[in-house]
Amino acid sequence: MKAILIDDELLALSYLEFQLLKMDHSILEIISKLTNPYDAIELVKHTKVDIAFIDIELPEINGIELAERMLEYNPDLKVVFITANQEYAVEGFDLNAIDYIVKPIRFDRLSKTMHRISEVITSM
């Protein structure tokens, strides 16, 4: 499964990648880490992406709007929202997000998300 990570904070982006790589999930291949949300839209337009881990608070466009735009190009895209604020949770789930993770990302919480993703993929 091809994944992209989107966060405007490089440290948060690297930490998410580190946590994901620690997991024993051979199904996940991180194909890109992006700080610019518009680059993510372009990538989804031209590349098969299965899952996007998206920070909600991004410059110029928030993660909810970014997910909406990306889903226009890839309706099968699975979305996991990551943010420091819980206030967007309802909006995130309205987009059929697989999960919503509050920062700081804990390994055990991310592991539950990956388990949920595996279940969704297996049931398809």
Side-chain angles (χ1 to χ4, degrees):
M1 175 167 41
K2 295 182 180 190
I4 58 173
L5 316 180
I6 305 135
D7 196 316
D8 61 315
E9 299 175 31
L10 285 173
L11 188 59
L13 197 57
S14 294
Y15 185 71
L16 174 59
E17 178 185 37
F18 173 74
Q19 293 287 49
L20 287 168
L21 292 175
K22 282 190 341 187
M23 296 188 182
D24 187 26
H25 288 285
S26 59
I27 63 165
L28 189 67
E29 174 190 358
I30 299 169
I31 61 169
S32 189
K33 298 185 313 182
L34 304 156
T35 56
N36 183 325
Y38 296 104
D39 290 344
I41 294 168
E42 288 302 310
L43 182 69
V44 168
K45 278 184 188 179
H46 305 290
T47 306
K48 174 72 170 119
V49 177
D50 301 300
I51 185 156
F53 291 84
I54 305 172
D55 181 27
I56 294 222
E57 296 198 20
L58 297 167
E60 299 178 40
I61 178 175
N62 73 37
I64 302 282
E65 186 178 345
L66 173 61
E68 288 172 343
R69 289 190 187 180
M70 290 169 46
L71 286 164
E72 290 174 10
Y73 296 102
N74 181 353
D76 296 325
L77 180 69
K78 307 297 181 254
V79 176
V80 175
F81 289 111
I82 299 173
T83 189
N85 298 313
Q86 296 179 7
E87 66 190 66
Y88 298 106
V90 174
E91 287 180 71
F93 283 115
D94 283 347
L95 287 174
N96 293 324
I98 294 285
D99 211 346
Y100 186 96
I101 300 173
V102 178
K103 290 178 182 179
I105 300 168
R106 294 184 347 260
F107 182 81
D108 61 328
R109 181 64 181 82
L110 190 57
S111 184
K112 287 179 185 178
T113 299
M114 291 307 299
H115 179 73
R116 185 174 291 145
I117 291 167
S118 296
E119 288 178 343
V120 168
I121 299 289
T122 306
S123 68
M124 295 176 86

